[in-house]
Amino acid sequence: KQWYQRRVRGEPDWPVSKKAMKAQPSERIRELSRSKGLVEGFQGNRDVQWSVSKSAKQAVATRRIEELSGPIMRESMDHVQFNPDVFKVSEAAKKAKCSARTAELAQPIVKS
């Protein structure tokens, strides 16, 4: 048998001293253990099921709502033209020089 099958029901899972079992809490401990209670205006959990209003049952979606609710139709990757030069850097970009201000801003901040 496993340890949890051998133990007597109602006993703690680990040893507790007799003094700890007989201890009485102080007034402060009792005060801290009290629940705060519910806030004014608190409403309990709603039922899982509730009735649908008559106006919601009779509602008709507009043409725009129908359009937005449809799936996005994209071309499959088999039909899309892939441009292999898309990541090529132009010659003009390779020859570009940055301004003095841009170079100044690009310097790391030195913290002392």
Side-chain angles (χ1 to χ4, degrees):
K1 284 187 173 183
Q2 298 292 332
W3 68 270
Y4 57 84
Q5 293 170 328
R6 288 191 308 260
R7 70 184 175 89
V8 178
R9 203 170 199 48
E11 283 187 8
D13 290 343
W14 51 85
V16 178
S17 70
K18 299 279 185 201
K19 285 185 179 182
M21 289 182 159
K22 293 180 182 178
Q24 294 297 317
S26 67
E27 189 56 39
R28 176 69 176 147
I29 296 295
R30 286 187 181 161
E31 182 184 331
L32 291 171
S33 69
R34 283 191 207 100
S35 65
K36 289 184 176 181
L38 301 176
V39 179
E40 184 181 329
F42 172 79
Q43 295 178 347
N45 294 337
R46 290 177 28 175
D47 289 336
V48 175
Q49 293 181 337
W50 58 89
S51 60
V52 179
S53 67
K54 187 176 180 182
S55 60
K57 290 178 184 176
Q58 295 175 345
V60 178
T62 63
R63 185 181 58 76
R64 178 66 177 149
I65 296 293
E66 291 287 343
E67 182 183 320
L68 291 172
S69 68
I72 298 172
M73 302 302 285
R74 294 188 177 102
E75 291 186 45
S76 69
M77 290 304 290
D78 298 335
H79 298 99
V80 176
Q81 293 292 327
F82 178 70
N83 182 1
D85 298 331
V86 72
F87 298 110
K88 257 189 188 164
V89 179
S90 68
E91 290 302 318
K94 289 179 186 177
K95 295 176 185 175
K97 302 284 186 207
C98 70
S99 67
R101 178 68 177 145
T102 306
E104 179 187 337
L105 292 172
Q107 296 303 313
I109 298 172
V110 179
K111 295 183 180 182
S112 53

